[in-house]
Amino acid sequence: MTPVRPTMSDVARAAGVSAMTVSNVLTGRRPVSPATRARVEAAAAELGYELNLTARHLRAGRTDTVALVVPRLDHPYYGELAARLTGLLAPQGRHLAVEQTDAGPHGELAALTQARWQLYDGVLLSVVGLTPADLDSVRTSAPLVLLGEQRMPARHDHVRMDNVRGARIATAHLLAAGSRRVAVVGGADPDPDAGMMPARTAGWVAAHAAAGIEPDPALVVPAPRADLADGRDAVRRLVAADVPFDGVLAVTDTLATGVLAGLAEAGLRVPDDVQVVGFDDLAASGFTVPALTTVDPGHDAMAHAALRLLDRQAGPAGPGGAGDPGRTGEHVVAPVRLVVRGSTRPVA
Amino acid sequence: MTPVRPTMSDVARAAGVSAMTVSNVLTGRRPVSPATRARVEAAAAELGYELNLTARHLRAGRTDTVALVVPRLDHPYYGELAARLTGLLAPQGRHLAVEQTDAGPHGELAALTQARWQLYDGVLLSVVGLTPADLDSVRTSAPLVLLGEQRMPARHDHVRMDNVRGARIATAHLLAAGSRRVAVVGGADPDPDAGMMPARTAGWVAAHAAAGIEPDPALVVPAPRADLADGRDAVRRLVAADVPFDGVLAVTDTLATGVLAGLAEAGLRVPDDVQVVGFDDLAASGFTVPALTTVDPGHDAMAHAALRLLDRQAGPAGPGGAGDPGRTGEHVVAPVRLVVRGSTRPVA
DNA sequence: CTGTTAGCGCATTCAC
DNA sequence: GTGAATGCGCTAACAG
C-alpha cells in the first residue's frame, strides 16, 4: 500500500522478463517479439508504471526538451516566439520549456553560467543586455543558439532579424507617404551592431539619407524599457517640447501601441496628422485602432533557423559542439517584410 | 584535452579529499573545515566543475524548478502570469519553466499523463478543456495545482477567479452608465462551473436580473477561440444581423481589443455609441484606444495562492501529496476588482 | 530476440 | 570532521 512508484524492475518481474526488455519495449530501440511486448505493456499498465525521465537523462543524456530563455515572458514578442517554437518541436516529439531571466545583464549572465541548463537538450538564449565580452566568456554544456539583435561572438550560432533594412523600408514608407518629420521612438545612437534600438535607428538614418533629408536630432526619442508606457510618454514628451512631427517610427510594435495611445490622448489623428509604423508584427498589431503598419521580422524563418542550428550542434561534435573555443558559429539573418495597414496613408 | 565534464571525483582527487567532502562543501549539509573547504573550492574553480543537476535530481529528487503548463503561450494572459510567478520564485532561488499544451483536451490530457513533469518539483496546470472525469483519472507524481475556471475534482488543489462576480460588476457598471442592450462577446450557456465563458455569461445574466432587465438572447455572441479576430468578428456579426446594442461585455480583454477594432471599423464610437468592458486587466488594456475598462481578476492573489498550495503539497506527505486519492484539495477563489477606464462613460 | 553486467554522478547511510 | 560503501532508475555494451 506504499504509494512508491514502480520501476522497470517491478514491471519486469510482473511480466516475467528482464528490465532490459522492458526498456526495449518502451524505447523501441531494439526489436521485441509481439507476445513479450504485449505482456510487458500489460504489466506496465497494471502497475501504473511511468518512466523515470531523470534516470533516463542521467544515463542517456537526453530530455527531448529544449529551453527558450527570454528576458521577459510578459512581452508578447517572446510569447509568440515560444508558441511558434513549440509548434515546430511538437511534431517531432520534443518539447519547449521557456524560462525568464528578467531584462538586464545580470540575469542573462547568470542564466548562461548556470548549471541548470543541463536539464535541457539545448538552449535558445534571447540576448538583450550582454556585452560580447560577457558572451565570449561563456561555456555552456548544452548546445546553445543565441537570438538577439546585437553583435555576438563569432563562435556562437546566432539568429537575428535584418533590423537596419526593416527600419529603413518602414521609414521610407512614411517618407513616401508624405511624412517629413519622422520621430524615432526607442531611438538611440545609430549602430547596426549595438543592439535592437541602435540598429533600427540606423535604418531610420539610412532612409533619410536615401531621401536626401537631414533628420532632426530632436526627433530621436529614447524609450529605455520599450514598453507601452514608454511609447505613450514619448509622444507626451514630443508634444510638451513642441517638437513638430508628422510621422513615427516606433522601434517595436509595443512602443507603437503606446504611441497610438499617446497620440489619441493628444488629439492627434492617425494617419491624417501623424503616420505610425511599428516593428515586429505582433498578433495584436492587426487589431489596434487604427491597425498598425509594421515590419514582419521573419518570425518563421527565425524559428526554423534556430532549431536547425541547435540540431546541427547536437549532431557531429557531441555535447562539445558549442564548447569548442575554436569553433566558428553560423550567423543567420532573417528577411524582413513591410506589412501595410491603416496607421499609414496610401502611397501614391 | 578531452572536453569531458569534470565530476565530483575529479574535484576530490585534485583537492586530495573524498567525493563526499566535495558534496558537503557544495551542499553545506555537513560542516567542513575552512581549510578543506578552501582547497575544494579552489580545485572546483580550477577544473571548471559544474554540479550535474540530473544526477542530483535522481538521487535527491529536487530540481528547484516549477513547471507552468498553459494552453497557449502567445496569449498575453499566460505570459503575464508566467512573469508574475517567475518573480515570486526567483528570490527563493527557484525557477519557473513554462510549457505549452496547445488548446484542447487532447494536449492537456496528454500533458497530465506525461511522465515528463518529473523533471520538475511541481506543476501548475492551466486547465481549459478537460472534463472533471479526465481530471479525476489523473495521478501525477509531482505536486500539482490546477488553475482554471471550470469545476475541478475536489481532491486537487485549485485556484480560480471569481468569474461570476467579475462579470456581474462589469455588466452592472455598463448598465449604471446607461447601456440597455449589452452584448456578451464570448457568451455561452450560463453556468458558474462550466468554464470561463459560461461563468462570465452567468455574471452577465445576474447583473441583468439585479437590474430588472430581461437580456435579449440575440446579444449572446459566441467566440470559440477567444482571440482578437473573434472579437472583431462578433461586432461584424451583430452589425450584419442588425442587432442593436449599446454596450459590450467581452469575456476577455483580448476579445475586447478585437471588439474595439470591430467597432472602429463599423464607425461606432466608444464609449459614446457603445461602451465596452473586458476581463483580465492585461497590461495592454491600459493602452488601447480608448483605454479599456476591465476586471482585475486578482493576478497577485492567484499567483501567491498557487505557489502556497504547491509548497503545502511538497511539505507534509512527501511526493505522494496529490497522488492520494482520498485527499481533499484546497480551492482558492481570487477576489476581483473593476478597473474603470475610458471605454465606459462616467457613472453619475 | 533476450538476458547479464556495469555504471551515468551524486547523496544517503554507516563507519571512524 | 572525514571517508567508504551503496544505490537512485535506467540503458549501452556485450553476451547468448
Side-chain angles (χ1 to χ4, degrees):
Chain A
M1 198 51 226
T2 23
V4 148
R5 307 182 47 189
T7 73
M8 271 196 181
S9 304
D10 298 326
V11 177
R13 198 174 316 115
V17 297
S18 78
M20 193 64 239
T21 301
V22 177
S23 174
N24 288 329
V25 168
L26 265 53
T27 62
R29 287 181 71 79
R30 283 190 350 193
V32 174
S33 80
T36 312
R37 162 181 304 277
R39 288 223 315 292
V40 168
E41 281 168 351
E46 164 73 23
L47 296 179
Y49 172 72
E50 282 180 12
L51 183 66
N52 183 327
L53 279 181
T54 305
R56 165 182 285 180
H57 188 205
L58 179 59
R59 186 65 237 222
R62 182 173 51 86
T63 54
D64 293 326
T65 302
V66 171
L68 172 68
V69 182
V70 301
R72 301 206 50 91
L73 268 163
D74 52 5
H75 191 305
Y77 175 77
Y78 296 113
E80 294 185 17
L81 175 63
R84 206 169 250 107
L85 288 167
T86 302
L88 291 176
L89 289 166
Q92 310 171 24
R94 297 158 77 196
H95 304 267
L96 187 78
V98 191
E99 303 206 17
Q100 164 170 317
T101 55
D102 262 316
H106 190 74
E108 286 178 335
L109 194 52
L112 273 183
T113 53
Q114 273 189 6
R116 50 195 316 281
W117 305 129
Q118 296 165 17
L119 292 174
Y120 304 109
D121 289 348
V123 177
L124 304 174
L125 177 70
S126 257
V127 176
V128 168
L130 293 180
T131 67
D134 287 335
L135 288 168
D136 227 19
S137 71
V138 162
R139 299 162 304 108
T140 45
S141 30
L144 174 72
V145 173
L146 300 178
L147 313 175
E149 312 313 321
Q150 56 185 274
R151 184 207 305 285
M152 307 282 183
R155 56 185 253 262
H156 290 118
D157 286 337
H158 175 203
V159 179
R160 66 174 180 87
M161 319 171 182
D162 196 342
N163 295 286
V164 176
R165 178 162 190 279
R168 187 166 57 64
I169 61 179
T171 308
H173 187 75
L174 293 175
L175 296 174
S179 289
R180 278 302 164 266
R181 293 187 51 82
V182 177
V184 52
V185 170
D189 261 2
D191 181 337
D193 290 320
M196 183 264 281
M197 292 183 181
R200 295 184 186 171
T201 306
W204 174 83
V205 169
H208 282 83
I213 301 175
E214 181 74 21
D216 181 351
L219 291 169
V220 178
V221 188
R225 299 188 315 165
D227 60 10
L228 291 154
D230 272 359
R232 184 200 52 204
D233 294 347
V235 173
R236 286 184 181 168
R237 240 176 303 153
L238 286 169
V239 170
D242 264 330
V243 177
F245 65 105
D246 58 4
V248 174
L249 169 71
V251 301
T252 70
D253 278 5
T254 298
L255 281 170
T257 304
V259 164
L260 291 180
L263 292 170
E265 183 183 273
L268 293 165
R269 291 166 309 161
V270 180
D272 308 77
D273 300 325
V274 179
Q275 302 189 90
V276 178
V277 55
F279 200 126
D280 281 346
D281 196 23
L282 301 179
S285 301
F287 295 85
T288 55
V289 177
L292 204 54
T293 294
T294 187
V295 177
D296 171 356
H299 293 297
D300 284 332
M302 292 184 60
H304 276 103
L307 293 181
R308 180 176 61 75
L309 293 176
L310 214 53
D311 292 343
R312 206 184 55 132
Q313 286 184 39
D324 176 2
R327 167 172 196 281
T328 293
E330 189 172 332
H331 292 244
V332 174
V333 179
V336 296
R337 191 174 59 87
L338 189 69
V339 179
V340 179
R341 300 204 188 93
S343 66
T344 51
R345 297 187 291 268
V347 174
Chain B
M1 197 51 226
T2 24
V4 149
R5 307 183 48 190
T7 73
M8 272 195 182
S9 306
D10 298 325
V11 177
R13 198 174 314 116
V17 297
S18 79
M20 191 62 244
T21 301
V22 178
S23 175
N24 288 329
V25 169
L26 266 53
T27 62
R29 286 180 73 78
R30 281 192 350 194
V32 175
S33 79
T36 312
R37 162 181 303 278
R39 289 224 314 294
V40 167
E41 281 168 352
E46 164 73 23
L47 295 178
Y49 172 74
E50 282 180 10
L51 184 67
N52 183 326
L53 280 181
T54 305
R56 166 181 284 182
H57 187 205
L58 178 59
R59 188 65 237 231
R62 181 173 52 87
T63 54
D64 293 325
T65 302
V66 171
L68 172 68
V69 183
V70 301
R72 302 205 51 91
L73 268 164
D74 52 5
H75 190 306
Y77 175 77
Y78 296 113
E80 294 185 19
L81 174 63
R84 206 169 248 108
L85 289 167
T86 302
L88 290 176
L89 290 167
Q92 310 172 25
R94 297 158 77 199
H95 304 266
L96 187 79
V98 191
E99 303 206 18
Q100 164 170 318
T101 55
D102 262 316
H106 190 75
E108 286 178 335
L109 194 51
L112 272 183
T113 52
Q114 272 189 8
R116 50 193 319 278
W117 305 127
Q118 298 164 16
L119 292 175
Y120 305 108
D121 288 349
V123 178
L124 305 173
L125 177 70
S126 254
V127 176
V128 168
L130 293 180
T131 67
D134 288 335
L135 287 168
D136 226 19
S137 70
V138 163
R139 296 162 306 108
T140 46
S141 31
L144 173 72
V145 173
L146 300 177
L147 312 175
E149 312 314 318
Q150 56 186 273
R151 184 208 307 284
M152 306 282 182
R155 57 185 253 263
H156 289 118
D157 285 337
H158 175 204
V159 179
R160 66 174 180 85
M161 318 170 183
D162 197 342
N163 295 286
V164 177
R165 178 162 188 277
R168 187 167 56 64
I169 62 180
T171 307
H173 186 76
L174 292 175
L175 296 174
S179 287
R180 279 302 164 267
R181 294 187 50 83
V182 176
V184 51
V185 169
D189 261 4
D191 180 339
D193 290 321
M196 183 264 282
M197 292 182 182
R200 296 184 185 172
T201 305
W204 173 84
V205 168
H208 281 84
I213 300 174
E214 180 74 25
D216 181 350
L219 292 170
V220 178
V221 187
R225 299 186 316 164
D227 60 11
L228 292 153
D230 272 359
R232 183 200 53 203
D233 294 348
V235 173
R236 286 183 180 167
R237 239 174 306 151
L238 285 169
V239 170
D242 263 329
V243 177
F245 66 105
D246 57 5
V248 174
L249 169 71
V251 300
T252 71
D253 278 6
T254 298
L255 282 170
T257 303
V259 164
L260 290 180
L263 292 170
E265 182 183 275
L268 293 165
R269 292 165 308 160
V270 179
D272 309 77
D273 300 326
V274 179
Q275 302 189 90
V276 178
V277 56
F279 201 125
D280 281 345
D281 195 23
L282 301 179
S285 303
F287 295 85
T288 54
V289 177
L292 205 54
T293 294
T294 186
V295 177
D296 171 356
H299 295 296
D300 284 332
M302 291 183 62
H304 275 103
L307 292 181
R308 179 177 61 76
L309 294 176
L310 214 53
D311 292 341
R312 205 182 55 130
Q313 286 185 39
D324 176 3
R327 166 171 196 282
T328 294
E330 190 173 331
H331 292 243
V332 174
V333 180
V336 295
R337 190 175 60 87
L338 189 68
V339 179
V340 178
R341 300 205 190 92
S343 66
T344 51
R345 297 187 292 266
V347 174

